[in-house]
Coordinates of all heavy atoms in Angstrom, one line a residue:
V25 N -10.5 -12.1 4.8 CA -10.1 -10.8 5.0 C -8.8 -10.5 4.4 O -7.8 -11.3 4.6 CB -10.1 -10.5 6.5 CG1 -9.5 -9.1 6.8 CG2 -11.5 -10.7 7.1
Q26 N -8.7 -9.4 3.7 CA -7.5 -8.9 3.1 C -7.3 -7.4 3.3 O -8.3 -6.7 3.1 CB -7.4 -9.3 1.6 CG -7.2 -10.8 1.3 CD -6.9 -11.0 -0.1 OE1 -7.2 -10.2 -1.0 NE2 -6.2 -12.1 -0.4
L27 N -6.1 -7.1 3.6 CA -5.7 -5.7 3.7 C -4.5 -5.5 2.9 O -3.4 -6.1 3.2 CB -5.5 -5.3 5.2 CG -6.7 -5.5 6.1 CD1 -6.3 -5.3 7.6 CD2 -7.8 -4.5 5.8
V28 N -4.5 -4.6 2.0 CA -3.4 -4.4 1.1 C -2.9 -2.9 1.1 O -3.7 -2.1 0.6 CB -3.7 -4.8 -0.4 CG1 -2.5 -4.7 -1.3 CG2 -4.2 -6.3 -0.4
E29 N -1.8 -2.7 1.6 CA -1.2 -1.3 1.7 C -0.5 -1.0 0.5 O 0.1 -1.8 -0.2 CB -0.3 -1.2 2.9 CG -0.9 -1.5 4.3 CD -0.7 -3.0 4.7 OE1 -0.4 -3.8 3.8 OE2 -0.7 -3.2 5.9
S30 N -0.4 0.3 0.2 CA 0.4 0.8 -0.9 C 0.7 2.3 -0.6 O 0.2 2.9 0.3 CB -0.3 0.7 -2.2 OG -1.5 1.4 -2.3
G31 N 1.6 2.9 -1.4 CA 1.9 4.3 -1.3 C 3.2 4.6 -0.7 O 3.6 5.8 -0.6
G32 N 3.9 3.7 -0.1 CA 5.2 4.0 0.5 C 6.2 4.3 -0.5 O 6.0 4.1 -1.7
G33 N 7.4 4.7 0.0 CA 8.5 5.0 -0.9 C 9.6 5.8 -0.2 O 9.6 5.9 1.0
L34 N 10.5 6.2 -1.0 CA 11.7 7.0 -0.5 C 11.4 8.5 -0.6 O 11.1 9.0 -1.7 CB 12.9 6.6 -1.2 CG 14.2 7.4 -0.9 CD1 14.6 7.2 0.6 CD2 15.3 7.0 -1.8
V35 N 11.4 9.2 0.5 CA 11.1 10.6 0.6 C 12.1 11.4 1.4 O 12.6 10.9 2.4 CB 9.7 10.8 1.2 CG1 9.3 12.3 1.1 CG2 8.6 10.0 0.5
Q36 N 12.4 12.6 1.0 CA 13.3 13.4 1.7 C 12.6 14.0 3.0 O 11.4 14.1 3.0 CB 13.8 14.6 0.9 CG 14.7 14.2 -0.3 CD 15.2 15.4 -1.0 OE1 14.7 16.5 -1.0 NE2 16.3 15.2 -1.7
P37 N 13.4 14.3 4.0 CA 12.8 14.9 5.2 C 12.0 16.2 4.8 O 12.4 17.0 4.0 CB 14.0 15.3 6.1 CG 15.0 14.3 5.7 CD 14.8 14.1 4.2
G38 N 10.8 16.3 5.4 CA 9.9 17.4 5.1 C 8.9 17.1 4.0 O 8.0 17.9 3.8
G39 N 9.1 16.0 3.4 CA 8.2 15.6 2.3 C 6.9 15.0 2.8 O 6.7 14.8 4.0
S40 N 6.1 14.5 1.9 CA 4.8 14.0 2.2 C 4.5 12.7 1.4 O 5.1 12.5 0.3 CB 3.7 15.0 1.9 OG 3.8 16.1 2.7
L41 N 3.7 11.8 2.0 CA 3.2 10.6 1.4 C 1.8 10.4 1.8 O 1.3 10.8 2.8 CB 4.0 9.4 1.8 CG 5.4 9.2 1.2 CD1 6.1 8.0 1.9 CD2 5.4 8.9 -0.3
R42 N 1.0 9.7 0.9 CA -0.3 9.2 1.3 C -0.3 7.7 1.1 O -0.2 7.2 0.0 CB -1.4 9.9 0.5 CG -2.8 9.5 1.0 CD -3.9 10.2 0.2 NE -4.1 9.6 -1.1 CZ -5.2 9.7 -1.8 NH1 -6.2 10.4 -1.4 NH2 -5.3 9.2 -3.0
L43 N -0.5 7.0 2.2 CA -0.6 5.6 2.2 C -2.1 5.2 2.0 O -3.0 5.9 2.5 CB 0.0 5.0 3.5 CG 1.4 5.4 3.9 CD1 1.8 4.7 5.1 CD2 2.4 5.3 2.7
S44 N -2.3 4.1 1.3 CA -3.6 3.6 1.2 C -3.7 2.1 1.6 O -2.7 1.4 1.5 CB -4.0 3.6 -0.3 OG -4.1 4.9 -0.8
C45 N -4.8 1.7 2.1 CA -5.0 0.3 2.5 C -6.4 -0.1 2.0 O -7.4 0.4 2.4 CB -4.9 0.2 4.0 SG -5.4 -1.5 4.6
V46 N -6.4 -1.0 1.0 CA -7.7 -1.5 0.4 C -8.1 -2.7 1.1 O -7.3 -3.7 1.2 CB -7.5 -1.7 -1.1 CG1 -8.8 -2.3 -1.7 CG2 -7.1 -0.4 -1.8
A47 N -9.3 -2.7 1.6 CA -9.8 -3.9 2.4 C -10.8 -4.7 1.6 O -11.6 -4.1 0.8 CB -10.5 -3.4 3.7
S48 N -10.9 -6.0 1.8 CA -11.8 -6.8 1.2 C -12.1 -8.0 2.1 O -11.4 -8.3 3.0 CB -11.4 -7.3 -0.2 OG -10.2 -8.0 -0.1
G49 N -13.2 -8.7 1.9 CA -13.6 -9.9 2.6 C -14.4 -9.6 3.9 O -14.6 -10.6 4.6
F50 N -14.8 -8.4 4.1 CA -15.6 -8.1 5.3 C -16.4 -6.8 5.0 O -16.1 -6.1 4.1 CB -14.8 -8.1 6.6 CG -13.8 -7.0 6.6 CD1 -14.0 -5.8 7.3 CD2 -12.6 -7.1 6.0 CE1 -13.1 -4.8 7.3 CE2 -11.6 -6.1 6.0 CZ -11.9 -4.9 6.7
T51 N -17.3 -6.5 5.9 CA -18.1 -5.3 5.8 C -17.2 -4.1 6.4 O -17.3 -3.8 7.6 CB -19.4 -5.4 6.5 OG1 -20.1 -6.5 6.0 CG2 -20.3 -4.1 6.2
F52 N -16.4 -3.5 5.5 CA -15.4 -2.5 5.9 C -16.1 -1.4 6.7 O -15.5 -0.9 7.7 CB -14.8 -2.0 4.7 CG -13.8 -0.9 4.9 CD1 -12.5 -1.2 5.4 CD2 -14.1 0.4 4.6 CE1 -11.6 -0.1 5.6 CE2 -13.2 1.4 4.8 CZ -12.0 1.2 5.3
S53 N -17.2 -0.9 6.3 CA -17.8 0.3 6.9 C -18.2 0.1 8.4 O -18.6 1.1 9.0 CB -19.0 0.7 6.1 OG -20.0 -0.3 6.0
T54 N -18.2 -1.1 8.9 CA -18.6 -1.3 10.3 C -17.4 -1.5 11.2 O -17.6 -1.7 12.4 CB -19.5 -2.6 10.4 OG1 -18.8 -3.8 10.1 CG2 -20.7 -2.5 9.4
Y55 N -16.2 -1.4 10.7 CA -15.0 -1.7 11.6 C -14.2 -0.5 11.8 O -14.0 0.4 10.9 CB -14.2 -2.8 10.9 CG -14.7 -4.2 11.1 CD1 -15.7 -4.7 10.2 CD2 -14.2 -5.0 12.1 CE1 -16.2 -6.0 10.4 CE2 -14.7 -6.3 12.3 CZ -15.7 -6.7 11.4 OH -16.1 -8.0 11.6
N56 N -13.6 -0.4 13.0 CA -12.5 0.5 13.3 C -11.3 0.1 12.5 O -11.1 -1.1 12.2 CB -12.2 0.5 14.8 CG -13.3 0.9 15.7 OD1 -14.1 1.8 15.4 ND2 -13.4 0.1 16.8
M57 N -10.5 1.0 12.1 CA -9.3 0.7 11.4 C -8.1 1.5 12.0 O -8.3 2.6 12.5 CB -9.4 1.1 9.9 CG -10.5 0.3 9.1 SD -10.2 -1.5 9.0 CE -8.7 -1.5 8.0
G58 N -6.9 0.9 11.8 CA -5.8 1.6 12.4 C -4.5 1.4 11.5 O -4.5 0.6 10.6
W59 N -3.6 2.3 11.8 CA -2.2 2.2 11.2 C -1.2 2.0 12.3 O -1.3 2.7 13.3 CB -1.9 3.4 10.4 CG -2.6 3.6 9.1 CD1 -3.8 4.2 8.9 CD2 -2.2 3.0 7.9 NE1 -4.1 4.1 7.5 CE2 -3.1 3.4 6.9 CE3 -1.1 2.3 7.4 CZ2 -3.0 3.0 5.5 CZ3 -1.0 1.9 6.1 CH2 -2.0 2.3 5.2
F60 N -0.3 1.1 12.1 CA 0.9 0.9 12.9 C 2.1 1.0 12.1 O 2.1 0.9 10.9 CB 0.8 -0.4 13.7 CG -0.2 -0.5 14.8 CD1 -1.5 -0.5 14.5 CD2 0.3 -0.5 16.1 CE1 -2.4 -0.6 15.5 CE2 -0.6 -0.6 17.1 CZ -2.0 -0.6 16.9
R61 N 3.3 1.2 12.7 CA 4.5 1.1 12.0 C 5.6 0.4 12.8 O 5.5 0.4 14.0 CB 5.0 2.6 11.6 CG 5.4 3.4 12.8 CD 5.7 4.8 12.3 NE 6.2 5.7 13.4 CZ 6.4 7.0 13.4 NH1 6.1 7.6 12.2 NH2 6.8 7.7 14.4
Q62 N 6.6 -0.1 12.1 CA 7.7 -0.8 12.7 C 9.0 -0.3 12.1 O 9.2 -0.6 10.9 CB 7.5 -2.3 12.6 CG 8.5 -3.1 13.4 CD 8.1 -4.5 13.5 OE1 7.4 -5.1 12.7 NE2 8.6 -5.2 14.6
A63 N 9.8 0.3 12.9 CA 11.1 0.8 12.5 C 12.1 -0.4 12.6 O 11.9 -1.3 13.4 CB 11.5 2.0 13.3
P64 N 13.2 -0.3 11.9 CA 14.2 -1.4 11.9 C 14.7 -1.6 13.4 O 15.1 -0.7 14.1 CB 15.3 -0.9 11.1 CG 14.6 0.1 10.1 CD 13.6 0.7 10.9
G65 N 14.6 -2.8 13.8 CA 15.1 -3.2 15.1 C 14.2 -2.8 16.3 O 14.5 -2.9 17.4
K66 N 13.0 -2.3 16.0 CA 12.1 -1.8 17.0 C 10.7 -2.6 17.0 O 10.4 -3.2 16.0 CB 11.8 -0.3 16.9 CG 13.1 0.5 17.1 CD 12.8 2.0 17.1 CE 14.0 2.8 17.3 NZ 13.7 4.3 17.2
E67 N 10.0 -2.5 18.0 CA 8.7 -3.1 18.1 C 7.6 -2.3 17.3 O 7.8 -1.1 17.0 CB 8.2 -3.2 19.5 CG 9.1 -4.1 20.4 CD 9.1 -5.5 19.9 OE1 8.0 -6.0 19.6 OE2 10.1 -6.1 19.9
R68 N 6.6 -2.9 16.9 CA 5.5 -2.3 16.2 C 4.9 -1.2 17.1 O 4.6 -1.5 18.2 CB 4.5 -3.3 15.7 CG 3.5 -2.8 14.8 CD 2.6 -3.9 14.2 NE 3.4 -4.8 13.4 CZ 3.0 -5.9 12.7 NH1 1.7 -6.1 12.7 NH2 3.8 -6.7 12.1

């Protein structure tokens, strides 16, 4: 199983981004998927 994220960067407040996560090694279409984030010094 591999999950590879991309699309992050430096953006000004009010801006937009689209993050992508390419999956491999399993039948992707049968699984729930999620996004989490972790800020500096904080929990995920």
Side-chain angles (χ1 to χ4, degrees):
V25 173
Q26 288 190 334
L27 302 171
V28 181
E29 302 96 334
S30 63
L34 175 62
V35 184
Q36 293 184 337
S40 298
L41 285 172
R42 188 178 73 163
L43 309 184
S44 299
C45 174
V46 178
S48 61
F50 65 99
T51 305
F52 176 79
S53 61
T54 68
Y55 282 84
N56 302 317
M57 298 295 296
W59 286 94
F60 286 72
R61 68 186 182 188
Q62 188 166 24
K66 297 183 179 180
E67 297 297 318
R68 190 171 298 184

